Amino acid sequence: MQWSLCLVLCGLLAGTQADPGALLRLGMDIMNHEVQTAMEESHILEKMAAEASNPQTGGKAIKGLSNMKVKDVLEPVITLNFVPGVGIFQCVSTGMTITGKSFTGGNMEINVVLNITATDRILQDEETGTPVFRSEGCEVILVNVKTNLPNNKAINKFVDSTLRKVLPGLMCPAIDAVLVYVNKKWTNLTDPMPVDRMGTVKYALTSPPATTASHIQVDFSPVVQLQEGQLIPLATNGSSPEFPEGSAKDSQLLLSDTFLTAELALLQKSLEVNLKDKRVRKLSQTTRTLAGFIPQVAKSYHKPKPLLIKVKINKPPKVTMKAGKSLMHLHGSLEMFAARRHGKHPKSLFRLETHIGLEIHYSVHENRLQMATSLDSLLSLSRESSSIGDFQETALTGFITDYLQKAYIPVVNDVLHVGLPLPDLLAIDYNLSELDVVEDALVLSLKME
Ligand SMILES: *[C@@H]1O[C@H](CO)[C@@H](O)[C@H](O)[C@H]1NC(C)=O
Ligand SMILES: *[C@@H]1O[C@H](CO)[C@@H](O)[C@H](O)[C@H]1NC(C)=O
Ligand SMILES: *[C@@H]1O[C@H](CO)[C@@H](O)[C@H](O)[C@H]1NC(C)=O
Ligand SMILES: *[C@@H]1O[C@H](CO)[C@@H](O)[C@H](O)[C@H]1NC(C)=O
């Protein structure tokens, strides 16, 4: 009981304390696109026109008007504005013709141009944890009304007041129906997404989305979890990541270096190569090459033997970013073996501790962040053990560098090829985004096609 209470409370505390590891900023371009497509997908105005014309429902809607039909619904024009602290103010301008038989038996036609306005408040759904829009204060504003009835003040007044009474009930559900379509596009946002078979990433919200004058911002505290269930915490530093200045209007996604570091921890084991591993290639060099750097090798190996290397990664890889350049730091050990005759285990010659810096080149493919690396520098190399006596490890710098470039980096890139999942929302096609490495973060500028 106490334990389960802790699970709840500790979870809550951990949730509240977490710094965001990813930020999403949605500008007007994306919101417009989303609402417009939701409007088209929902066919909402056509549906409402049909509903209004249904003798069972709409037919009774306007008193004194029978056989009512709604036709010629005008292509709606949607205008959106951000309301700071609230969400979006939405105005749908449209028009239609309402026809029917008046109580006098004559054909009546009303041409009405109207605006439907509402405030779409953005919240966080308590159950699913995803962002959700809810409309408030829907109103119908009559912009223009024309009828084929005699232009008579009393009739005008009657038509006007009837429309004012009837139209909100007819039109406001349209706003809600469209929001259902917009909200649907957030539904998979907080689902865990796989990173290879090693684990998952879940884009959990840090707090409810916030609205400013130029965008909606969603802060994420991503949950990175190994397949066995263990959580990989994001190294927090007290400082939350921030968008670079000067691009407030654009839609952007920011991924912090600490978040990418946590994700790469999922791949740590895959970055190791063992001697039995198919990925370990026999080096083109032999003990004879090595003898050029370490004279002792010449004594032990008169005949050249193929060389093999085992790579162990001692710490989770770490990603760092400076404007325009991102590195992956790998701390590991390289153990060199000489192959022996069939059936005999290769003989360990020496083991070196290394710290290597790989430059990361980012791209996006199929809504996943792709990384490809190239060797930037061998930051340290020290001898940990040796079965062939003392030697100067610095003599091996060139040899090791060459090995890393030709044999090990391809292994790393192969592992990274799985890509890291990006937040799945609003049918954003990350394929079109521009990528920028800034201080401590990667920024994707999101574009609509
Ligand atoms: C109706 O909406 C349009 C587009 O937003 C706007 O230009 C117009 O002023 C509105 N009309 C009224 C009467 O509110
Ligand atoms: C959400 O995921 C389900 C199941 O994978 C899928 O069928 C659905 O299309 C997804 N929804 C969106 C909006 O991507
Ligand atoms: C900690 O924060 C400072 C200031 O933002 C930053 O420059 C530094 O890189 C961060 N350190 C780590 C380990 O993330
Ligand atoms: C992404 O862009 C590439 C090249 O620009 C293109 O080949 C690929 O089909 C695109 N993928 C998607 C899902 O749009």
Side-chain angles (χ1 to χ4, degrees):
M1 182 65 197
Q2 268 174 11
W3 175 234
S4 61
L5 189 65
C6 174
L7 278 182
V8 173
L9 285 180
C10 303
L12 282 177
L13 287 176
T16 48
Q17 281 170 357
D19 287 333
L23 310 176
L24 175 72
R25 191 178 258 185
L26 298 168
M28 201 38 96
D29 53 344
I30 286 195
M31 290 324 300
N32 268 328
H33 179 269
E34 292 311 319
V35 174
Q36 193 74 46
T37 37
M39 202 91 185
E40 283 157 18
E41 282 169 13
S42 65
H43 298 286
I44 192 65
L45 290 173
E46 292 91 322
K47 274 188 203 154
M48 300 211 37
E51 184 72 1
S53 305
N54 180 344
Q56 262 97 55
T57 52
K60 293 191 190 110
I62 301 183
K63 231 188 230 168
L65 191 67
S66 60
N67 209 6
M68 176 174 145
K69 285 206 163 41
V70 175
K71 56 175 198 182
D72 305 334
V73 178
L74 296 179
E75 183 76 26
V77 176
I78 304 164
T79 321
L80 303 177
N81 284 294
F82 287 116
V83 185
V86 179
I88 289 177
F89 182 77
Q90 182 182 9
C91 175
V92 179
S93 305
T94 183
M96 65 203 62
T97 304
I98 301 170
T99 63
K101 289 226 184 299
S102 74
F103 50 90
T104 59
N107 287 331
M108 186 167 102
E109 215 176 86
I110 307 170
N111 290 300
V112 54
V113 176
L114 53 88
N115 285 351
I116 314 163
T117 64
T119 302
D120 301 334
R121 187 179 284 275
I122 187 154
L123 302 162
Q124 186 178 6
D125 189 294
E126 277 174 20
E127 234 168 84
T128 62
T130 55
V132 67
F133 282 110
R134 300 228 186 289
S135 79
E136 292 175 358
C138 175
E139 277 182 55
V140 173
I141 299 158
L142 298 176
V143 177
N144 191 8
V145 180
K146 281 197 202 115
T147 71
N148 65 342
L149 301 175
N151 197 1
N152 158 323
K153 238 189 189 163
I155 290 181
N156 287 352
K157 207 172 161 195
F158 165 75
V159 169
D160 209 70
S161 76
T162 306
L163 289 177
R164 273 181 214 287
K165 258 186 244 149
V166 165
L167 286 177
L170 213 54
M171 294 291 136
C172 289
I175 295 280
D176 294 333
V178 170
L179 287 188
V180 169
Y181 279 79
V182 177
N183 287 336
K184 248 191 216 168
K185 299 189 182 179
W186 303 97
T187 49
N188 292 351
L189 179 60
T190 55
D191 290 352
M193 291 183 278
V195 176
D196 206 4
R197 292 205 192 92
M198 306 309 289
T200 57
V201 175
K202 178 175 137 172
Y203 283 93
L205 270 64
T206 308
S207 50
T211 311
T212 71
S214 55
H215 55 259
I216 287 176
Q217 184 161 322
V218 187
D219 293 0
F220 296 105
S221 300
V223 180
V224 181
Q225 192 164 20
L226 280 165
Q227 203 62 51
E228 309 89 70
Q230 191 198 333
L231 292 175
I232 297 171
L234 269 63
T236 50
N237 187 3
S239 64
S240 300
E242 276 172 35
F243 281 105
E245 306 237 327
S247 50
K249 281 213 161 87
D250 297 340
S251 299
Q252 292 174 311
L253 174 69
L254 177 146
L255 305 172
S256 70
D257 52 359
T258 54
F259 172 42
L260 296 179
T261 296
E263 290 191 285
L264 288 186
L266 297 176
L267 300 174
Q268 179 182 346
K269 279 270 163 287
S270 316
L271 294 173
E272 303 198 321
V273 288
N274 287 308
L275 293 180
K276 285 185 198 152
D277 203 318
K278 280 203 206 82
R279 297 178 299 172
V280 184
R281 287 198 272 152
K282 271 198 196 120
L283 302 183
S284 53
Q285 295 96 336
T286 63
T287 47
R288 182 164 289 165
T289 330
L290 211 52
F293 309 109
I294 310 170
Q296 292 95 310
V297 173
K299 289 186 208 132
S300 317
Y301 294 90
H302 301 291
K303 274 199 215 156
K305 296 281 183 201
L307 292 172
L308 296 163
I309 280 190
K310 178 173 163 180
V311 180
K312 222 171 153 290
I313 303 296
N314 305 331
K315 283 202 228 171
K318 182 169 192 249
V319 177
T320 60
M321 314 229 200
K322 294 264 165 276
K325 186 165 181 179
S326 177
L327 291 182
M328 182 192 302
H329 293 265
L330 285 180
H331 294 265
S333 61
L334 305 175
E335 190 168 4
M336 184 74 69
F337 293 83
R340 293 202 286 181
R341 244 172 275 155
H342 322 295
K344 284 198 164 180
H345 197 71
K347 181 171 168 47
S348 171
L349 300 175
F350 53 82
R351 188 152 59 84
L352 303 169
E353 293 297 309
T354 63
H355 172 193
I356 54 180
L358 305 181
E359 180 161 9
I360 312 176
H361 311 276
Y362 296 95
S363 62
V364 172
H365 182 67
E366 287 175 351
N367 289 346
R368 283 186 162 243
L369 181 67
Q370 296 288 332
M371 298 179 176
T373 62
S374 56
L375 187 66
D376 185 72
S377 50
L378 189 56
L379 293 160
S380 74
L381 194 64
S382 63
R383 179 160 42 85
E384 198 58 23
S385 66
S386 166
S387 68
I388 49 168
D390 287 354
F391 62 89
Q392 270 297 320
E393 52 267 36
T394 45
L396 288 176
T397 304
F399 176 79
I400 295 294
T401 305
D402 191 49
Y403 163 74
L404 291 171
Q405 249 153 2
K406 294 206 177 109
Y408 185 58
I409 303 289
V411 170
V412 173
N413 288 341
D414 205 45
V415 169
L416 293 175
H417 195 70
V418 294
L420 302 176
L422 295 167
D424 175 4
L425 82 161
L426 299 178
I428 286 177
D429 182 1
Y430 291 102
N431 211 11
L432 304 166
S433 52
E434 275 169 27
L435 280 64
D436 262 313
V437 175
V438 300
E439 200 67 19
D440 301 331
L442 176 71
V443 174
L444 288 79
S445 298
L446 311 177
K447 302 260 178 315
M448 305 307 298
E449 71 275 34

